[in-house]
Amino acid sequence: MSGVPATVGSVSDDAVLVQADGLVKRFGDFEAVRGVDVKVRRGEAFGFLGPNGAGKSSTMRMIACTSPRTAGELRVLGLDPDRHGPRIRGRLGVVPQQDNLDNELTVRQNLQVYGRYFGLSRHQVRARATELLEFAQLSDRADDQVEPLSGGMKRRLTIARSLVNEPELLLLDEPTTGLDPQARHLLWDKLFRLKQQGVTLIVTTHYMDEAEQLCDRLVVMDGGRIVAEGSPAALIAEHSSREVLELRFPIDQQHHHVPLVEDLAERVEVLPDRLLLYATNGEAVLAAATRRGMRPTSSLVRRATLEDVFLRLTGRTLVD
Amino acid sequence: MRPVLLVLEHFWTWYRRNWRATVVSTVLLPLMFLGAMGFGLGSRITPGPATDGLPYVVYLAPAMLVAAAVQVATAESSFPVLGSLKWDRRYYAITSTPVTVDQLLMAQALWVALRVLISGLAYIAVAALFGAFTNAGVLLAVPVSVLAGMAFGSWILALAASVNDEGVTFGNVFRFVLVPMTLFAGTYYPISQLPAWSRPLAWITPLWHGNELARAVEFGGMGALAAVGHVVYLVVLTAGGLLVARQRFHARLKV
Amino acid sequence: MTVLRIVPMGSYAGRARAVIERSALVNRRNWLLVVSGVFEPLFYLFALGIGFGGIVGTLTGPDGSPISYAAYVAPGLLAASAMNGAIHDSTFNIFLKLKYAKVYDAMLATPLGPTDVALGETSWSLIRGGIYAAGFLAVMAALGLISSPWALLALPAALLVAFGFAAVGMGAATLMRSWQDFDLILLVQMPMFLFSTTFFPITVYPEPIRIAVECFPLYHGIELMRALTSGAVTWGILGHVAYFAIMVAAGGWFAARRLGTLLLT
């Protein structure tokens, strides 16, 4: 056994489960993560938000102790991933971006075999698999092969599998990407239940509704760095107006109208088919614009969302 | 015919970039077998009735061409076809264009034949340098080998369009059909060396008919009727395989 | 921790057994393919032993006495099939799972490390190879091709040969970039299979080629098998054993190092 006292790993309730300082990951010349600082406390649901290639997954893999860091400090469950990888992984649950279920095994065997990797006894994995099949609503598919399952079922199985060792910290990399709306809502419901049970969640996503649904606190990443941090509400308050007025025009007509409304909003954004006016009171801006003779084909006032924050912080240019 | 050529062009585009990777298994491997068995073991074999009175390497060389042809045809008709249906679903992309299923199958079968032809010619060229052949009649063995390859390969095409596993079925077919056929169907020695009861098994295989024909075109000594019989058997097998494959391709691709 | 640091930190959790259990569970479904592995060397044995029996005549056995072609080729095939199985499992299977099935990615998110995975997979491969070798030896015995109780040691010897090739093969698999590289493995494996005295005695070669063949690992595996199944055992066979012990140690050391960098990036 290693000489580390048992108490180092066991942390008290309000403890910090993940602490990163100046975390860096380089692949050859490419710097995927460029100095990230985060702190995740027990019981929190914490989100990494960002476009593809922002460095979210690389950060997650370092936290999951499957990718050694290039530089910086990292403590997971109070331990150093470089020295205690197997011990830390024994207490984590990991849901990777792409399901890596074992296609050569049945649904139930996937859970049982995975449990054995954590050193659970045969008896334990049998009981645990039955519980988790129930949780994932897959009991009636228990003895089927994995391959014919729908995307949503596979995702639920991957999540169930990640829970086999009753992890203290669950890492979810884009948990609902590619799923239909029903499957997404079902998954969110499952994750919400886990959160209620006190499991700490770390989620990466590029879906804003997902981040608003799941996360107490999040960071927005772009180009390997953190560009904003806070609760969803705080981020909206800080980086966007309260409301957004969307004005639609016939294609390529919207430019002509910018001078007319420029002074009415905090910020005006020109999209190919419409104008976005960021303002505290959208209706008031719409009324003022109409008074000035503007006749859009349609108009919409909505509350600002994380998506507005996201696009503002990370830009509209396609990154990958 | 034009759509068939267009699909062939697609296969050719891939091949032009990747042909080097195919050289080892399709050309070098049969040459290595010829070297080891023909020259190595052959040095221990005195020419006699079992080798038609020929040095063993000369006796083996034309049959090795046919055995390699069957191997190449099998390889090209199995995983690449399964992959095009299941993994990258390339066939679905092709048949969503004006190309029909029949044209696709025709192109795929022609491509297999073409690959067998290319590796057969390469084998002949190198083996000739080592003096493994006695006369130019062996050039006629090349079309024979293509025919024998297709007589087996067409059935593998049909199989590939019928299975939906990750290659377990192929593994079993290679192990229980292809390997025994290569070993027992008269490639390395005449089947008269084997117990009488096992010979009818060899008669069923396309490889045996191919071996007999390939040796006959180089060494002579076969009656016209027997030759026609061998050819007809191989043609019928090929046609039968293609018909089954056609039915299987339609079942898989028209959904 | 006082254990010798021959593997990278955190790469071994001592749970290779769970990986073996997975293989056993998976193969229970594909049992036909597993069992059928017994047949391939037997097909070769029957085809060559019977077919060439009447053509090749007798050869000289390890102890200098004349033996039938079947008795000559059988131990060669035993060693060669141990090699072929081990190389297939340690290169093709490993590469397939690494690149496509992502089975190892899932394993490494658990306490298991690369060394657990490597040990578990190799052990399974050896279990299977052991079954094949035992089947082959039983058939040899039934055909009267075994002439000494030393042949009992041919089973552990086959495992050693397989372990040696598996260790080196896995090391090679960690260097492979794409399917194209398999041709390089084939390019080493097939000449070794065909030219390491499996099918004909080393006396057919001129002196320089003979020395080259004597450097091949499979040559030493075959010599070991011939000695054990014929009973012509000398102290010299310890040299063959040492050859494979070195392959196991060097290949295993290299594979464990490389697997860490390959899987944990």
Side-chain angles (χ1 to χ4, degrees):
Chain A
M1 267 317 288
S2 87
V4 180
T7 48
V8 171
S10 57
V11 272
S12 59
D13 263 352
D14 59 341
V16 175
L17 292 196
V18 177
Q19 172 139 23
D21 297 298
L23 194 58
V24 172
K25 180 72 192 182
R26 262 192 294 272
F27 298 101
D29 287 340
F30 174 65
E31 203 164 34
V33 179
R34 316 174 173 215
V36 159
D37 306 316
V38 284
K39 203 180 258 192
V40 181
R41 291 173 200 285
R42 184 178 293 279
E44 252 188 322
F46 185 87
F48 285 97
L49 209 65
N52 290 331
K56 309 183 300 282
S57 293
S58 298
T59 308
M60 284 291 254
R61 284 172 40 79
M62 286 190 277
I63 297 173
C65 310
T66 52
S67 168
R69 63 183 183 270
T70 311
E73 275 304 306
L74 180 63
R75 286 282 175 284
V76 182
L77 302 170
L79 298 168
D80 177 356
D82 279 353
R83 299 188 51 215
H84 301 290
R87 272 180 72 189
I88 300 171
R89 293 197 299 266
R91 293 160 58 191
L92 297 183
V94 177
V95 177
Q97 203 176 101
Q98 285 181 332
D99 292 321
N100 53 13
L101 294 165
D102 199 327
N103 283 327
E104 295 183 280
L105 299 173
T106 65
V107 170
R108 185 195 301 277
Q109 285 172 341
N110 257 282
L111 297 172
Q112 292 181 342
V113 167
Y114 209 68
R116 294 287 288 161
Y117 297 156
F118 287 92
L120 302 182
S121 74
R122 275 172 229 277
H123 177 73
Q124 280 171 318
V125 293
R126 263 200 299 275
R128 198 78 189 111
T130 309
E131 270 172 51
L132 288 169
L133 284 169
E134 192 72 26
F135 168 81
Q137 292 171 258
L138 286 169
S139 300
D140 50 336
R141 303 296 297 265
D143 298 310
D144 289 1
Q145 291 298 311
V146 166
E147 221 193 331
L149 296 185
S150 72
M153 288 176 173
K154 282 186 184 167
R155 210 60 186 144
R156 296 208 298 276
L157 180 56
T158 305
I159 291 177
R161 189 186 67 175
S162 73
L163 297 172
V164 76
N165 58 326
E166 300 185 298
E168 296 161 57
L169 175 60
L170 187 57
L171 308 177
L172 302 127
D173 199 354
E174 297 189 13
T176 66
T177 298
L179 300 184
D180 64 30
Q182 285 81 2
R184 296 183 74 198
H185 281 275
L186 183 57
L187 266 183
W188 285 339
D189 170 54
K190 299 290 171 203
L191 294 176
F192 188 74
R193 271 177 56 194
L194 288 173
K195 199 175 136 186
Q196 297 293 94
Q197 288 162 20
V199 179
T200 309
L201 304 178
I202 301 183
V203 184
T204 78
T205 183
H206 44 226
Y207 291 131
M208 302 312 116
D209 49 349
E210 181 158 279
E212 289 188 87
Q213 282 267 349
L214 290 176
C215 302
D216 306 320
R217 206 156 61 82
L218 50 90
V219 292
V220 180
M221 283 186 81
D222 193 30
R225 286 182 229 279
I226 291 176
V227 291
E229 178 170 5
S231 69
L235 280 170
I236 294 169
E238 188 178 339
H239 297 281
S240 183
S241 56
R242 197 168 68 89
E243 290 184 342
V244 181
L245 168 61
E246 297 197 3
L247 299 173
R248 279 180 188 271
F249 296 94
I251 212 118
D252 289 334
Q253 299 282 300
Q254 72 279 33
H255 292 277
H256 313 309
H257 301 280
V258 176
L260 204 60
V261 292
E262 223 163 11
D263 58 321
L264 294 178
E266 294 165 29
R267 196 158 64 86
V268 177
E269 200 170 353
V270 186
L271 300 188
D273 61 337
R274 67 206 132 122
L275 296 179
L276 299 187
L277 281 72
Y278 295 86
T280 314
N281 185 340
E283 289 294 350
V285 174
L286 178 59
T290 315
R291 274 199 300 279
R292 291 182 187 182
M294 180 184 267
R295 295 291 176 269
T297 45
S298 73
S299 62
L300 166 75
V301 176
R302 59 169 174 82
R303 292 188 66 85
T305 65
L306 262 186
E307 188 140 347
D308 298 307
V309 175
F310 183 82
L311 289 173
R312 168 122 200 228
L313 290 171
T314 63
R316 285 190 185 267
T317 331
L318 209 54
V319 280
D320 59 355
Chain B
M1 199 58 201
R2 192 175 141 73
V4 175
L5 291 177
L6 290 175
V7 179
L8 271 177
E9 189 185 321
H10 165 130
F11 293 131
W12 178 254
T13 312
W14 178 89
Y15 186 68
R16 227 178 33 194
R17 218 158 29 90
N18 294 290
W19 65 272
R20 276 177 210 85
T22 68
V23 170
V24 174
S25 51
T26 61
V27 181
L28 280 182
L29 218 54
L31 285 170
M32 282 183 211
F33 270 88
L34 183 68
M37 305 313 273
F39 288 105
L41 183 62
S43 71
R44 293 271 145 174
I45 297 173
T46 34
T51 64
D52 293 346
L54 299 162
Y56 182 66
V57 65
V58 172
Y59 173 82
L60 179 62
M64 206 66 221
L65 168 72
V66 186
V70 171
Q71 304 257 11
V72 172
T74 305
E76 281 305 304
S77 310
S78 53
F79 282 102
V81 174
L82 178 68
S84 305
L85 279 167
K86 182 175 165 147
W87 296 325
D88 67 11
R89 301 176 65 83
R90 177 183 310 189
Y91 281 175
Y92 292 91
I94 293 174
T95 51
S96 66
T97 71
V99 177
T100 66
V101 174
D102 285 352
Q103 287 164 340
L104 169 68
L105 174 61
M106 182 63 73
Q108 180 66 65
L110 279 176
W111 175 246
V112 173
L114 205 60
R115 286 291 311 276
V116 173
L117 180 69
I118 295 171
S119 34
L121 289 173
Y123 165 87
I124 292 268
V126 182
L129 290 181
F130 289 97
F133 303 117
T134 53
N135 62 61
V138 72
L139 284 175
L140 268 180
V142 175
V144 165
S145 73
V146 174
L147 182 58
M150 293 314 292
F152 192 69
S154 59
W155 290 92
I156 299 294
L157 275 176
L159 178 73
S162 309
V163 297
N164 200 22
D165 57 42
E166 303 280 323
V168 176
T169 311
F170 289 147
N172 286 325
V173 169
F174 295 170
R175 206 162 247 168
F176 287 110
V177 182
L178 186 64
V179 169
M181 180 163 74
T182 313
L183 289 168
F184 293 101
T187 301
Y188 292 100
Y189 44 78
I191 56 171
S192 57
Q193 296 295 313
L194 294 172
W197 61 263
S198 70
R199 288 172 211 161
L201 286 173
W203 296 339
I204 301 173
T205 65
L207 180 54
W208 180 74
H209 296 272
N211 285 337
E212 292 293 297
L213 275 173
R215 288 201 171 103
V217 293
E218 191 184 346
F219 312 137
M222 180 182 282
L225 197 64
V228 169
H230 288 305
V231 172
V232 167
Y233 183 75
L234 292 177
V235 170
V236 168
L237 261 189
T238 307
L242 287 176
L243 278 178
V244 178
R246 176 167 183 260
Q247 192 260 327
R248 299 307 312 157
F249 267 59
H250 276 274
R252 268 303 265 282
L253 288 163
K254 288 214 171 140
V255 279
Chain C
M1 202 182 272
T2 50
V3 178
L4 260 177
R5 277 256 159 263
I6 56 160
V7 293
M9 187 106 71
S11 94
Y12 185 54
R15 276 199 202 124
R17 212 182 119 187
V19 181
I20 304 178
E21 281 176 27
R22 176 201 171 265
S23 297
L25 204 55
V26 168
N27 283 278
R28 218 163 56 182
R29 229 161 36 90
N30 298 338
W31 64 271
L32 182 63
L33 196 62
V34 177
V35 172
S36 69
V38 177
F39 289 98
E40 196 156 322
L42 290 179
F43 286 142
Y44 269 90
L45 179 59
F46 287 124
L48 303 178
I50 299 171
F52 280 120
I55 306 175
V56 177
T58 54
L59 293 169
T60 313
D63 54 357
S65 59
I67 54 168
S68 70
Y69 187 64
Y72 178 82
V73 85
L77 288 172
L78 177 59
S81 73
M83 170 185 84
N84 288 339
I87 290 182
H88 178 271
D89 286 349
S90 63
T91 58
F92 185 80
N93 271 357
I94 299 271
F95 188 74
L96 190 80
K97 284 186 200 158
L98 270 177
K99 270 261 189 231
Y100 295 97
K102 304 276 176 207
V103 174
Y104 298 144
D105 280 353
M107 288 183 184
L108 292 174
T110 75
L112 299 185
T115 306
D116 296 275
V117 174
L119 269 181
E121 292 287 60
T122 308
S123 306
W124 174 252
S125 165
L126 290 181
I127 291 170
R128 225 163 56 164
I131 298 171
Y132 297 166
F136 191 85
L137 280 164
V139 173
M140 275 179 75
L143 295 176
L145 301 177
I146 285 175
S147 45
S148 158
W150 280 103
L152 285 175
L153 286 182
L155 183 58
L159 289 177
L160 178 66
V161 169
F163 200 1
F165 281 109
V168 173
M170 195 175 281
T174 63
L175 296 173
M176 294 203 297
R177 290 276 146 255
S178 74
W179 289 109
Q180 323 265 8
D181 292 342
F182 276 96
D183 282 0
L184 295 177
I185 291 190
L186 214 57
L187 217 47
V188 174
Q189 182 187 355
M190 290 316 289
M192 199 138 71
F193 172 58
L194 290 167
F195 296 103
S196 297
T197 77
T198 318
F199 303 106
F200 46 83
I202 198 161
T203 50
V204 306
Y205 294 119
E207 184 68 19
I209 299 184
R210 188 146 130 188
I211 292 169
V213 169
E214 281 171 352
C215 296
F216 287 173
L218 183 58
Y219 171 77
H220 294 273
I222 292 174
E223 285 296 295
L224 182 58
M225 293 304 171
R226 290 221 164 99
L228 291 171
T229 54
S230 69
V233 174
T234 63
W235 287 108
I237 69 165
L238 289 180
H240 306 313
V241 172
Y243 193 114
F244 282 96
I246 291 169
M247 278 174 78
V248 170
W253 174 81
F254 182 74
R257 296 248 133 195
R258 283 281 311 162
L259 266 179
T261 30
L262 192 78
L263 289 167
L264 304 174
T265 54

